[in-house]
C-alpha cells in the first residue's frame, strides 16, 4: 500500500485490511516515502520486496517502487485515480484506474478501468483472468492428448500393416469432439475459489506445464497401448476368429473407433482438474459441460448404430459396448494414481536444454591457453 497518509494512519488501515499482520512492524516493512526516496537504485531494489506499506509518499515514490520491483523480475500492478499517478500506471505491467473518480490522464495511462470504483472488482478481474488462463491449459492438455494418441495409432498401424484403424471420416468426428465440443466444455468452466489460492504465473513460465505433460503422457500411453493391442490382436481378444476376415476387421475397427471416442469423453473429466484429485468437484453446476458430454455420447451411439455406411462402421453388440466403456473408465483411476507422481519444478524445455550438449563457440578450438 502506497499512500500519502502519515505512517500511523497507514499502519492502522493496513492492519485492518490485512496488508500488515504485525502491529509492531518497522522498517523496511513499513517505511516513509522520503526514506525510500533517499536510497540509491541498488538499495531500493534490495528493500522493494520487503515493503508492505509506504506512508507520506509522493507520486514519484510510487514510480520508483514500481521500477525497483520490475528490475527484481516481478509483474507489477498499480491502482490510482489522479493525474500524478499516471507515470506509475504507465510504467506498471498492469495499470488499474478508477472509472468514476479517476482523471482522464489516469484512464489513458491504464490497462484496466474499474468502472464502479470498487476495489473488490480487482479481485473479480484476477479471478476471471486466472480462470481464462486455466481453461486454456485444460483445453490444450485435452487437445494434445487426442492428437498424440490418434497420430501414433494411425502411423504405427499404417507402417506395420498398411491399414489404419481410424479413417478420414472418423478422424473428422474426433476432431469435432476435440476442437468444437471440447472447447465448449472445457474453455467455459466458471472460476472457482481454488484458483485464488494458486501462486501467480511467472512472466516466462510455459503455457504447457510439467503437470500437463505428465497427465498427457499417462493418458496417451494408455490409449495407444490399448488400441494398438486391439488393432493387432483384436480378433483373438474380441473372439471374432470364427467370423469372416472382412466382417471381423470391420467389427474390430468399429470397436477401436468407439473405444477411442469414449476414452476422450472420459478424459474430458480428467482435463477439468489437471492438478486436483477430485475431478468431479463442481461438475453438477457446469450445465454446459454436462450437455456437451451428453450430446457427444448420444451422437456417438447414433454414428455406430445408424450411420455405418457414412463412417464405414458396423453395429456393435451390447457386450462390446460394455467393454469399450470399461476400457474408457480405467482412465479415471489411472489419472488419479498419476497425480501422485511428482514432477520437477524446472520447465521441461529447460531440462532438455541442460541435457543437450552446448556447441563450442567459433574460435574456441585450437585457442592458446591463457597465460
Amino acid at each position: 500500500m502506497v499512500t500519502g497518509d502519515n505512517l500511523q494512519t497507514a499502519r492502522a488501515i493496513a492492519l485492518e485490511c490485512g496488508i500488515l499482520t504485525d502491529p509492531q512492524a518497522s522498517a523496511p516493512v513499513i517505511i516513509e516515502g522520503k526514506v525510500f526516496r533517499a536510497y540509491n537504485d541498488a538499495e531500493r531494489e534490495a528493500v522493494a520486496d520487503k515493503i508492505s506499506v509506504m506512508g507520506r509518499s509522493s507520486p514519484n515514490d510510487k514510480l520508483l517502487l514500481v521500477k525497483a520491483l520490475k528490475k527484481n523480475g516481478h509483474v507489477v500492478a498499480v491502482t490510482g485515480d489522479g493525474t500524478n499517478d499516471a507515470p506509475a500506471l504507465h510504467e506498471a505491467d498492469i495499470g488499474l484506474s478508477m472509472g468514476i473518480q479517476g482523471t482522464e490522464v489516469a484512464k489513458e495511462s491504464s490497462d484496466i478501468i474499474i468502472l464502479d470504483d470498487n476495489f473488490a472488482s480487482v479481485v473479480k478481474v484476477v479471478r476471471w483472468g486466472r480462470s481464462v488462463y486455466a481453461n486454456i491449459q485444460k483445453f490444450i492438455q485435452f487437445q494434445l492428448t487426442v492428437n498424440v494418441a490418434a497420430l501414433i495409432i494411425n502411423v504405427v498401424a499404417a507402417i506395420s500393416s498398411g491399414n489404419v484403424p481410424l479413417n478420414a471420416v472418423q478422424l473428422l468426428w474426433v476432431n469435432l469432439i476435440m476442437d468444437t465440443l471440447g472447447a465448449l466444455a472445457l474453455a467455459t468452466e466458471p472460476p472457482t475459489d481454488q484458483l485464488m489460492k494458486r501462486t501467480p504465473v511467472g512472466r516466462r513460465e510455459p503455457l504447457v506445464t510439467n503437470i500437463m505433460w505428465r497427465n498427457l503422457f499417462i493418458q496417451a500411453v494408455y490409449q495407444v497401448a490399448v488400441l494398438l493391442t486391439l488393432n493387432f490382436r483384436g480378433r483373438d481378444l474380441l473372439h471374432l476368429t470364427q467370423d469372416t476376415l472382412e466382417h471381423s476387421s470391420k467389427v474390430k475397427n468399429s470397436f477401436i473407433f468407439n473405444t477411442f471416442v469414449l476414452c476422450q469423453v472420459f478424459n474430458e473429466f480428467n482435463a477439468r482438474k489437471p492438478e486436483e484429485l477430485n475431478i468431479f468437484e463442481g461438475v453438477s453446476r457446469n450445465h454446459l459441460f454436462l450437455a456437451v458430454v451428453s450430446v457427444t455420447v448420444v451422437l456417438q451411439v447414433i454414428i455406430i448404430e445408424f450411420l455405418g455406411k457414412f463412417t464405414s462402421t458396423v453395429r456393435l453388440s451390447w457386450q462390446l459396448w460394455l467393454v469399450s466403456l470399461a476400457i474408457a473408465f480405467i482412465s479415471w483411476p489411472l489419472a488419479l494414481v498419476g497425480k501422485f507422481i511428482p514432477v520437477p519444478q524446472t520447465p521441461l524445455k529447460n531440462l532438455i536444454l541442460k541435457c543437450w550438449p552446448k556447441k563450442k563457440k567459433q574460435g574456441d578450438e585450437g585457442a592458446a591457453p591463457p597465460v
Side-chain angles (χ1 to χ4, degrees):
M1 182 175 74
V2 181
T3 176
D5 295 331
N6 67 64
L7 215 57
Q8 298 309 316
T9 303
R11 184 195 299 271
I13 295 172
L15 286 169
E16 187 175 347
C17 294
I19 297 172
L20 279 180
T21 55
D22 182 12
Q24 306 301 322
S26 58
V29 177
I30 179 168
I31 192 172
E32 282 195 352
K34 64 180 181 181
V35 177
F36 181 74
R37 198 183 315 138
Y39 291 147
N40 57 39
D41 291 343
E43 290 172 333
R44 288 195 203 103
E45 292 172 24
V47 301
D49 290 353
K50 302 174 184 177
I51 296 173
S52 293
V53 177
M54 185 186 295
R56 286 292 184 191
S57 64
S58 66
N60 189 54
D61 296 332
K62 183 186 284 190
L63 178 61
L64 292 173
L65 180 60
V66 171
K67 289 182 177 179
L69 289 170
K70 288 187 70 174
K71 284 187 178 179
N72 287 344
H74 294 291
V75 178
V76 185
V78 171
T79 60
D81 58 3
T83 302
N84 292 334
D85 293 320
L89 290 168
H90 180 73
E91 180 68 23
D93 295 290
I94 303 170
L96 301 101
S97 62
M98 299 301 172
I100 300 174
Q101 295 183 359
T103 62
E104 290 301 318
V105 176
K107 292 177 185 179
E108 290 176 4
S109 302
S110 302
D111 302 292
I112 298 172
I113 299 174
I114 306 171
L115 297 177
D116 58 0
D117 281 16
N118 187 355
F119 276 105
S121 299
V122 179
V123 180
K124 292 181 181 178
V125 170
V126 175
R127 186 184 176 97
W128 277 100
R130 290 189 176 191
S131 178
V132 170
Y133 185 85
N135 289 346
I136 291 172
Q137 288 184 313
K138 294 172 187 177
F139 175 64
I140 288 175
Q141 177 184 307
F142 175 69
Q143 188 180 46
L144 287 176
T145 304
V146 179
N147 278 335
V148 169
L151 178 66
I152 294 176
I153 291 166
N154 268 9
V155 168
V156 172
I159 292 174
S160 60
S161 63
N163 297 319
V164 291
L166 301 173
N167 61 40
V169 176
Q170 293 169 359
L171 286 176
L172 282 173
W173 168 234
V174 171
N175 200 55
L176 179 64
I177 296 173
M178 177 183 67
D179 289 340
T180 308
L181 299 178
L184 280 174
L186 295 172
T188 56
E189 282 271 337
T192 61
D193 293 335
Q194 191 68 27
L195 290 171
M196 301 303 290
K197 297 178 182 178
R198 294 184 184 179
T199 55
V201 178
R203 190 191 301 271
R204 300 189 182 278
E205 286 189 30
L207 182 61
V208 182
T209 63
N210 288 349
I211 291 175
M212 294 168 63
W213 283 120
R214 177 197 64 192
N215 298 341
L216 184 158
F217 179 79
I218 291 171
Q219 294 298 324
V221 166
Y222 169 69
Q223 292 178 21
V224 168
V226 171
L227 297 180
L228 283 181
T229 302
L230 289 170
N231 184 63
F232 295 117
R233 303 289 300 168
R235 291 190 67 209
D236 296 328
L237 294 173
L238 300 176
H239 305 292
L240 301 173
T241 51
Q242 296 180 353
D243 203 348
T244 61
L245 180 61
E246 182 181 358
H247 186 261
S248 62
S249 296
K250 286 184 178 180
V251 173
K252 180 194 70 174
N253 288 341
S254 299
F255 178 77
I256 290 174
F257 167 59
N258 191 53
T259 304
F260 183 70
V261 171
L262 290 179
C263 281
Q264 310 320 318
V265 172
F266 278 72
N267 194 38
E268 275 189 85
F269 287 87
N270 293 328
R272 287 186 67 248
K273 305 286 183 182
E275 302 178 19
E276 300 171 32
L277 298 178
N278 185 8
I279 60 174
F280 303 106
E281 184 181 357
V283 71
S284 60
R285 296 190 297 272
N286 192 346
H287 303 297
L288 182 58
F289 180 87
L290 294 176
V292 167
V293 170
S294 301
V295 168
T296 304
V297 173
V298 170
L299 290 176
Q300 179 64 16
V301 173
I302 293 173
I303 286 171
I304 293 294
E305 297 298 322
F306 304 106
L307 299 178
K309 290 183 180 180
F310 179 65
T311 56
S312 301
T313 57
V314 295
R315 290 186 176 184
L316 299 176
S317 63
W318 64 269
Q319 292 95 335
L320 290 180
W321 272 98
L322 287 179
V323 175
S324 290
L325 286 169
I327 292 173
F329 176 81
I330 293 174
S331 66
W332 283 351
L334 196 65
L336 179 65
V337 173
K339 287 174 183 176
F340 289 100
I341 301 174
V343 294
Q345 296 294 327
T346 306
L348 184 64
K349 177 184 175 182
N350 295 345
L351 290 173
I352 295 173
L353 290 176
K354 284 182 180 179
C355 300
W356 198 267
K358 293 182 179 180
K359 292 183 179 180
K360 292 184 178 180
K361 293 182 180 179
Q362 190 175 5
D364 286 351
E365 295 182 4
V371 178

